[in-house]
Amino acid sequence: MKLSAIADKVLSLIFPERCLFCGDIADDKYICAKCGSEYKRIALPVCSVCGLGRNECRCFSGLLFDRTVAPFYYEGRAREDILKFKYRGRHEYGRYFAHCISLTVNEQYSGICFDAVTSVPAFKNGSEDFFDHAGYLGRAVAKNIKAVFDGGLIEKTNERVKQHTLKFEQRFENVRGLYAGRGNAEYKSVLLIDDISTTGATFSECARVLKASGAEKVYCAAAAFTPHRVF
Ligand SMILES: [Zn+2]
Ligand SMILES: [Zn+2]
């Protein structure tokens, strides 16, 4: 063992890593066992396209991404903490979600080499008054999995009705033409990050523009999926 590794070990015994949320001793680098148990995880095995568990598959023909994965269901503690991260400046939750997305990506996309990681743009260009939560997650995931982050692959060209107010088919209609590709001929395999996915409509539309501008494969990852398809 190298001297620096021994020093790290000794320091971690004297000053153990603390849970980001409650301050208790962390089970891994980020969170204690109690806080970790409050997140509802998507259990394996999952559908190899939509990433949801048995009997929950929401695949249908017409999805334009190759695959989506997420560690959590968007309910309970995960939902509360994603909202705190997005709207209340609680970046420590973003760090934790990026860590969990990265583990899921390493596990479920093992063997896939990403030419770039990018994120779903939250706002129309020039209206970036708010925190770009998906960009934050995308950058952190790229760093964790040692891949290139390129935030300039997709542009949001319009603002429309918020997706969560719409029914299933309306969501696909609402996002059509909402994004444009900025050209990414050198990236054949792209990992696309967002915070949550409900129907896959946004991922699908962003995959369409990425493929139209050069990508061959678009793999998606979110922090959480809504547990039930919305009709
Ligand atoms: Zn805790
Ligand atoms: Zn499925």
Side-chain angles (χ1 to χ4, degrees):
M1 196 183 275
K2 279 186 177 169
L3 200 59
S4 60
I6 295 169
D8 279 351
K9 191 100 189 152
V10 171
L11 279 173
S12 73
L13 289 172
I14 304 169
F15 304 107
E17 299 278 2
R18 295 283 171 177
C19 174
L20 284 172
F21 310 131
C22 73
D24 209 344
I25 292 176
D27 212 29
D28 59 15
K29 245 172 82 180
Y30 295 87
I31 192 168
C32 73
K34 184 181 172 295
C35 289
S37 70
E38 290 175 8
Y39 290 88
K40 195 176 171 205
R41 290 192 165 270
I42 298 174
L44 297 174
V46 294
C47 169
S48 64
V49 177
C50 71
L52 278 162
R54 282 212 178 105
N55 308 320
E56 298 170 329
C57 171
R58 59 184 178 193
C59 290
F60 61 96
S61 62
L63 289 173
L64 299 171
F65 49 73
D66 291 271
R67 195 171 164 187
T68 62
V69 296
F72 302 119
Y73 289 103
Y74 187 61
E75 60 183 14
R77 174 95 195 235
R79 182 175 177 277
E80 284 167 25
D81 290 350
I82 286 174
L83 293 173
K84 284 179 192 163
F85 164 60
K86 281 173 79 166
Y87 301 116
R88 290 174 30 203
R90 299 289 297 273
H91 292 189
E92 68 272 31
Y93 290 101
R95 274 166 59 205
Y96 178 61
F97 288 126
H99 166 69
C100 296
I101 294 170
S102 306
L103 292 179
T104 301
V105 164
N106 283 336
E107 181 180 70
Q108 297 199 44
Y109 291 152
S110 73
I112 297 172
C113 180
F114 304 110
D115 297 320
V117 179
T118 195
S119 56
V120 171
F123 308 104
K124 199 176 151 189
N125 218 11
S127 58
E128 290 136 355
D129 303 338
F130 300 97
F131 175 52
D132 178 8
H133 51 278
Y136 179 102
L137 293 174
R139 264 185 203 87
V141 169
K143 197 173 166 203
N144 290 344
I145 66 168
K146 297 181 174 51
V148 172
F149 179 79
D150 190 334
L153 301 186
I154 310 167
E155 185 182 2
K156 194 170 189 183
T157 53
N158 223 325
E159 294 292 351
R160 297 214 184 126
V161 181
K162 293 280 181 211
Q163 286 286 86
H164 65 256
T165 62
L166 301 173
K167 291 199 164 38
F168 183 76
E169 280 88 6
Q170 291 174 320
R171 290 179 184 231
F172 282 83
E173 196 53 48
N174 191 49
V175 292
R176 204 156 292 143
L178 201 55
Y179 302 96
R182 285 181 173 166
N184 53 287
E186 71 272 38
Y187 303 138
K188 298 297 175 204
S189 170
V190 178
L191 176 63
L192 175 63
I193 305 289
D194 205 356
D195 56 343
I196 57 168
S197 176
T198 299
T199 57
T202 302
F203 273 150
S204 188
E205 181 63 9
C206 287
R208 187 185 68 73
V209 303
L210 285 170
K211 289 186 175 183
S213 52
E216 287 168 4
K217 296 277 186 189
V218 177
Y219 302 95
C220 307
F225 289 153
T226 46
H228 304 293
R229 193 166 161 180
V230 181
F231 287 97

